[in-house]
Structures are given as structure tokens and as C-alpha cells.
Amino acid sequence: MNYQSFQLTNIILSFLLFVSCSDSQFLESHWNHPISAQGTPPSDFPALERNLNPKSCGTCHQNQFQNWEKSFHAKSISPGFLWQKEIFTKEEYKSCLNCHSPLAETKSEIDSNFQTPEIISSKSHNFPDGIDNPSILCASCHIRNQIRFGPPPKINKKIEQNSGRIPHNSYVVKEKFESSEFCKSCHESKETGVRLNGKRLMEVYTEWEGSSYAKDGIQCQNCHMPDREHSWKGIHDKDFVQNSLEPKWEVKKNNGVYQIKAELKNRGVGHNFPTYLVPKVYLRFFASLKSQNSRILLEESIVGRVVNTNLTEEYLDTRIKPNDSYKISFDYKPNENLVTELIWEIEVDPDEQYVRSFEEELKNRAGTLSYHSKKQLQESLYEKKNSRYILFTLSWKVPVSLRQ
């Protein structure tokens, strides 16, 4: 190898090493909180590109905007979050804002600690019409210091415009946008976080990492952002959950006793189901009797992680691991042979922990909360109480006995 070739090889190797190191450090810097103010937009940006309001982004990214607008990311700053400012310490609230309102500019709408001259100036440049929704915005994930970041293009297509320029000076391609690691900082408790029975309050990434989904290269985005859809569907979406679970049951009658075996399989969730301690899933079995118009409850089980409202003690953890099942087996012997139908009903309560906690807070703090915070708490409690839905209903009709 001659000296010139040797030099070229070293330059190429150095470049590759730089890219590798740069990529490995990208997420650490990208989610380094608090995120700096965006600063003044480039002078060559037209008014539309200088505006970081999601509606401006939606001018070109219509599908992403429309899906985001209906998503929980667009509702991360809600009455259920805002009322708690009155009971949290300043540091606790600032920590929550890192994920619920990542941008410095949006934080300044909620917390006066972020109303510095630098941030106020940045907000006036980047949100000239003000911020009507300080939740998780497009810029929360895609923009740092006026530089746009995103995943690799789906197709290698040359952008052509009459103006001869690429929108917002193009963007920096980062493959991490399609990696589960990208979601980890907000969907996984820190190593130093509270542990109950050895488990942190959020271990979504850890659960996924130990599953067959991770081994097969299936990322969070494959399920929660299919085809790059910005909807992030989860436990609140009935259709989404139905497509991820499979209920099976078998009923046999032997000498007047009904023998019931049932299982709920996690066949499409790449982490524990449900992963967070907030949702609960109720498996209830009923019998309909000829002599009664109503049905009677035979058996009830809870799938989920049950902890106290202070988050200091875990009572139960029956969550279903990926590709595993929750199984139930019991017998039922009616007093008389008057059973017409057996029913298995599966109900999802996406906000059970919040409901229990908020009811307790409303009772204990009714006399100390401000009118505004109390109203936000009541509004959120009402919303969360009404988020329940019936996921599946299976029925088994008792065969009619023919006369001899």
C-alpha cells in the first residue's frame, strides 16, 4: 500500500469512527434536559418555516399533523397534569415537564422559572402567534438549535422546488428515530427511580429488550407508529388493544358442574400487558339464569400492576409478558339447572390508578386546593372515569335439553 492510499484509508476510517461516535452520543445530547431554547431562526427561512407551531409543520406534513392532533402527545399538558403543580415541589414539577413539555419555550407557558429573557426572546421568534398548546410538539422531537432531525427518507427522492431551495435547509438524518432507544428517556424510569418489589415504576424499554420482539428487530415505532403514523396508539384505543390480545375459553358440563377454563394471550404486545401501573384489565365471568333477568357474577380477576396511591407498596402484579397468557380455571355448580348462558367479559380501565389517586386527593385536599386547581382535578377525574371500555365479550349458550 502506498502512502497516498494509506492516508485515504485512515481518513475513511476516521470519518466512519466519527459518525459512529456521533450517532452513539446523539440520543444523550438530544434528550439532555433542560433542552436549550431554539434561538433565532436562520435569516433565509420564510415566515412559515420560522414558525414552530405544529399547524405550520402541518402545511407540508399534513398526515403527521392530523394524527398528532388527536394523539396523547398533543394532550400531555392537560388538566390532570396542571392541577398537580400545586402539590409538587418545584423540582418535581420541573422533572415532569421534561417529558410532558420538553421545549424551553413551551415550559415557559407553564412554569415561571423558564421565563428568562433568552427563552422569552426565542418564543417570540419561533412562536410569533403565541403557544396555544404547550404539550409535546413536532419540535420537541425534531428540532434542536434550529437544526431539523429525522429518520432516513422512506424513498430516495430528489426534492425539487421552483425556488431551488430545500425546505428548512434539509435535515440531519438519524436512524435512532426508528429505534426503541429514542422513546426510552420518557418511557423508562431512571435507574435511581423508585422500585417496588425490585421493579421501577416504568420499565417499558427493559421489558421490550428482554422479549422476542427486540431479538427480531421489532421496535416501538413498528407498532405505535406504523408507516410513520404520528398517533402513538396504546391502551386507550380499543381496536389497537383488540388486535394485540387473543381470548380463548372452554366450557364443559359434568354432572351438573360447569368447568370453565380461559386464557388471555398477549400475542402482539412487545412488553408486559399492560406495561404501566395505571391501567387495569378486568376479566369477569357471569351466568344468565332463566329465573332472573339479570346475570350473576361467578368469578373476577385483575390483570395489571396494583400499587397504593403513594407509590410505596405493590400489592399485585399479574401483567402478561410478551407471547405469554393469563389463565383462569374454576367450577360453577348452580343450585338448579336454570343456566341459559355463560358470559366472559373483559373490561379495560386505562386510568384506574389515576382515578383512585385523584379521588383520594380530592377528598384529602378539598379544603386546601385553590379553586382553579380543584376544578382541573375534577375535570380530569371525570374524564378518566369515563375512559373505560369493554374489550371483548364471549358467550356460551347452554345447549337445550330435548324431551325424551
Side-chain angles (χ1 to χ4, degrees), residues 52-256:
L52 298 188
N53 188 306
K55 292 178 182 176
S56 296
C57 304
T59 304
C60 295
H61 305 282
Q62 294 178 5
N63 290 338
Q64 288 88 342
F65 172 73
Q66 288 169 2
N67 284 314
W68 166 84
E69 201 172 24
K70 295 177 286 186
S71 76
F72 276 90
H73 278 196
K75 303 170 188 173
S76 60
I77 297 299
S78 63
F81 178 85
L82 290 170
W83 81 266
Q84 296 181 75
K85 184 178 182 179
E86 200 166 308
I87 65 171
F88 283 166
T89 66
K90 288 184 178 179
E91 287 305 311
E92 285 172 338
Y93 203 68
K94 281 173 68 176
S95 176
C96 294
L97 284 173
N98 287 339
C99 285
H100 282 263
S101 183
L103 295 177
E105 292 81 2
T106 55
K107 284 186 172 97
S108 71
E109 292 286 308
I110 308 161
D111 191 338
S112 59
N113 290 306
F114 291 91
Q115 293 173 359
T116 65
E118 178 192 8
I119 294 173
I120 296 300
S121 173
S122 178
K123 184 164 65 172
S124 68
H125 284 102
N126 294 285
F127 297 91
D129 302 318
I131 299 175
D132 56 358
N133 181 1
S135 297
I136 300 169
L137 312 184
C138 311
S140 303
C141 293
H142 289 285
I143 304 177
R144 297 291 183 271
N145 300 317
Q146 296 298 339
I147 298 173
R148 274 63 176 170
F149 295 88
K154 292 173 71 174
I155 54 175
N156 188 16
K157 185 171 72 173
K158 185 178 180 181
I159 299 174
E160 295 180 359
Q161 287 195 329
N162 294 332
S163 63
R165 68 178 290 276
I166 299 175
H168 42 69
N169 293 335
S170 190
Y171 73 102
V172 178
V173 172
K174 290 294 180 183
E175 292 184 352
K176 291 293 186 183
F177 271 83
E178 297 185 306
S179 165
S180 295
E181 289 178 88
F182 191 86
C183 314
K184 182 180 178 181
S185 68
C186 282
H187 294 276
E188 177 98 354
S189 298
K190 297 184 184 301
E191 283 293 334
T192 55
V194 173
R195 289 179 182 269
L196 302 179
N197 285 349
K199 297 164 293 190
R200 288 165 289 162
L201 300 184
M202 291 193 298
E203 292 191 335
V204 191
Y205 182 85
T206 299
E207 292 164 8
W208 166 83
E209 194 175 30
S211 74
S212 62
Y213 290 81
K215 295 178 178 66
D216 294 337
I218 299 172
Q219 309 294 323
C220 302
Q221 293 84 341
N222 292 114
C223 297
H224 297 283
M225 296 181 69
D227 199 30
R228 298 187 178 175
E229 179 185 289
H230 283 50
S231 57
W232 303 285
K233 292 176 181 177
I235 192 71
H236 289 81
D237 190 283
K238 180 177 178 177
D239 291 338
F240 182 79
V241 178
Q242 276 187 335
N243 290 330
S244 304
L245 302 173
E246 183 180 5
K248 293 180 181 178
W249 73 329
E250 178 184 58
V251 181
K252 292 181 179 179
K253 187 177 180 183
N254 186 17
N255 296 324

Side-chain angles (χ1 to χ4, degrees), residues 207-341:
E207 292 164 8
W208 166 83
E209 194 175 30
S211 74
S212 62
Y213 290 81
K215 295 178 178 66
D216 294 337
I218 299 172
Q219 309 294 323
C220 302
Q221 293 84 341
N222 292 114
C223 297
H224 297 283
M225 296 181 69
D227 199 30
R228 298 187 178 175
E229 179 185 289
H230 283 50
S231 57
W232 303 285
K233 292 176 181 177
I235 192 71
H236 289 81
D237 190 283
K238 180 177 178 177
D239 291 338
F240 182 79
V241 178
Q242 276 187 335
N243 290 330
S244 304
L245 302 173
E246 183 180 5
K248 293 180 181 178
W249 73 329
E250 178 184 58
V251 181
K252 292 181 179 179
K253 187 177 180 183
N254 186 17
N255 296 324
V257 177
Y258 293 94
Q259 299 170 333
I260 301 164
K261 291 183 179 180
E263 71 171 280
L264 182 63
K265 184 173 183 179
N266 175 358
R267 64 176 178 83
V269 182
H271 46 70
N272 291 352
F273 174 81
T275 180
Y276 297 126
L277 54 82
V278 176
K280 303 296 180 294
V281 181
Y282 300 97
L283 282 55
R284 301 187 182 101
F285 296 84
F286 301 91
S288 293
L289 305 179
K290 291 179 183 178
S291 58
Q292 300 179 17
N293 293 326
S294 60
R295 55 191 187 178
I296 60 172
L297 179 65
L298 306 179
E299 181 83 4
E300 181 178 32
S301 297
I302 297 177
V303 175
R305 188 180 181 190
V306 183
V307 306
N308 63 356
T309 55
N310 294 327
L311 307 180
T312 57
E313 188 176 356
E314 178 183 284
Y315 304 129
L316 184 73
D317 188 354
T318 55
R319 294 174 297 168
I320 312 172
K321 296 181 183 297
N323 302 313
D324 205 349
S325 297
Y326 183 86
K327 297 180 180 180
I328 305 161
S329 179
F330 67 95
D331 294 342
Y332 167 56
K333 185 176 182 179
N335 293 331
E336 298 180 51
N337 192 19
L338 299 174
V339 177
T340 60
E341 184 181 18

